[in-house]
Amino acid sequence: MKRTSFTDDACPVARSVEAVGDWWSLLIVRDAFIGKKRFGEFQTSLGVAKNILTVRLKKLVDDGVLEQVPASDGSAFKEYALTEKGRGLLPVIAALGQWGGAGSEFRLVDRKKGKAVRLEFRSADGHRLAPDDVKLVHGAAV
Amino acid sequence: MKRTSFTDDACPVARSVEAVGDWWSLLIVRDAFIGKKRFGEFQTSLGVAKNILTVRLKKLVDDGVLEQVPASDGSAFKEYALTEKGRGLLPVIAALGQWGGAGSEFRLVDRKKGKAVRLEFRSADGHRLAPDDVKLVHGAAV
């Protein structure tokens, strides 16, 4: 399907959409966050055709979200790892997970303490805000 | 393109991806957050073909993200408004915006005070965590 490209869009939301390439590719990113590394692991997890997965992985590598690294066990398999840019997608995955609601098979924890973590809106002085108290407005940051 | 459906997936990230329907549809949602309401406004903003926009808007209405409401000025135009479910997507839009980085033409503000708002990871006791301090793990919430 032909569509407008948002690569040069002034809006970072639009650029992010373009950079991830496909909505669905976020599920590969989610799997990478929970520790999946190999083509076969992604394929088993997502149940998609190999040719489609190949294209999506290539796009994520081309866009700098994933990188190919030597297998951690020294075997000939290539592994995929999140880059720093890719790791920056955790809030997007977390926000989607929280929106998807109950029944999650995933959860966010503090890497050091293992305690539950939430994604929240906070004002500059650290006050917690409900989503309905937050407004998206047009105009550069002041 | 044929693809796997994630509607019944146990993962809320997958269900969210399915519910929004298309990555690109988030740009319609972003526009709705900044106050755009009419077909023509979305079309001007996004620069997409009318038939594509029609399909995406219908999908968002069918999925309960947007609803059609009478025009606020009493005219014959139909307007689209975010439902409660749709308003819940603000953290997703915010996370994408923060990932997209600098040069944003949008910003998040406190609805009452107009002050800048950030989306942040916080532990249960309110401690702020950097994304690299947070881990996505498999397993139901404890």
Side-chain angles (χ1 to χ4, degrees):
Chain A
M1 188 179 72
K2 194 175 174 304
R3 61 164 192 173
T4 306
S5 168
F6 295 102
T7 309
D8 299 324
D9 200 289
C11 174
V13 178
R15 288 197 308 266
S16 299
V17 165
E18 190 71 28
V20 175
D22 191 280
W23 207 191
W24 182 97
S25 295
L26 275 185
L27 299 180
I28 299 174
V29 174
R30 173 204 64 186
D31 279 354
F33 272 115
I34 59 162
K36 295 190 195 302
K37 293 172 180 144
R38 294 185 182 179
F39 189 94
E41 292 180 297
F42 294 117
Q43 220 232 321
T44 303
S45 168
L46 299 169
V48 291
K50 288 183 182 181
N51 60 333
I52 294 174
L53 183 58
T54 300
V55 170
R56 299 297 158 84
L57 283 167
K58 185 179 183 311
K59 167 82 176 154
L60 289 169
V61 170
D62 289 347
D63 287 339
V65 171
L66 294 179
E67 60 186 342
Q68 282 198 310
V69 295
S72 43
D73 63 0
S75 71
F77 288 104
K78 276 183 197 155
E79 292 185 350
Y80 293 89
L82 288 161
T83 61
E84 186 185 348
K85 180 179 174 184
R87 290 197 304 276
L89 278 167
L90 189 58
V92 176
I93 302 286
L96 283 167
Q98 290 182 190
W99 188 67
S104 177
E105 54 171 324
F106 301 101
R107 58 199 172 92
L108 294 168
V109 297
D110 182 325
R111 196 176 284 278
K112 286 176 198 152
K113 300 178 185 169
K115 297 274 180 69
V117 172
R118 292 272 307 171
L119 192 66
E120 299 173 353
F121 285 116
R122 294 269 177 164
S123 63
D125 58 4
H127 188 67
R128 183 177 171 177
L129 295 160
D132 277 347
D133 294 332
V134 180
K135 199 175 164 186
L136 187 69
V137 294
H138 215 162
V142 288
Chain B
M1 187 180 72
K2 195 174 175 299
R3 61 162 194 178
T4 306
S5 168
F6 295 102
T7 309
D8 299 324
D9 200 289
C11 174
V13 178
R15 289 197 308 267
S16 298
V17 166
E18 190 72 28
V20 174
D22 189 279
W23 209 191
W24 183 96
S25 294
L26 276 185
L27 300 180
I28 299 174
V29 174
R30 173 204 64 187
D31 279 355
F33 272 115
I34 58 162
K36 297 192 194 300
K37 294 174 179 143
R38 295 186 181 177
F39 188 95
E41 291 179 298
F42 294 117
Q43 220 233 321
T44 303
S45 168
L46 299 168
V48 292
K50 288 184 182 181
N51 59 333
I52 294 174
L53 182 58
T54 300
V55 170
R56 298 296 159 83
L57 283 167
K58 184 178 184 310
K59 167 83 175 153
L60 289 169
V61 169
D62 288 349
D63 287 339
V65 171
L66 294 178
E67 62 184 343
Q68 283 197 309
V69 295
S72 44
D73 63 0
S75 71
F77 289 104
K78 276 182 197 158
E79 291 186 350
Y80 293 88
L82 288 161
T83 61
E84 186 184 346
K85 180 180 173 184
R87 290 196 304 276
L89 279 167
L90 187 58
V92 176
I93 302 284
L96 284 166
Q98 290 183 191
W99 189 67
S104 176
E105 54 172 323
F106 300 101
R107 59 198 171 95
L108 293 167
V109 297
D110 182 324
R111 196 175 284 279
K112 285 175 198 150
K113 300 177 185 170
K115 295 274 180 68
V117 172
R118 291 274 305 170
L119 192 66
E120 299 174 352
F121 285 116
R122 294 270 177 164
S123 63
D125 59 4
H127 188 69
R128 183 177 171 177
L129 295 160
D132 276 346
D133 295 332
V134 180
K135 199 176 165 186
L136 187 68
V137 294
H138 214 164
V142 288

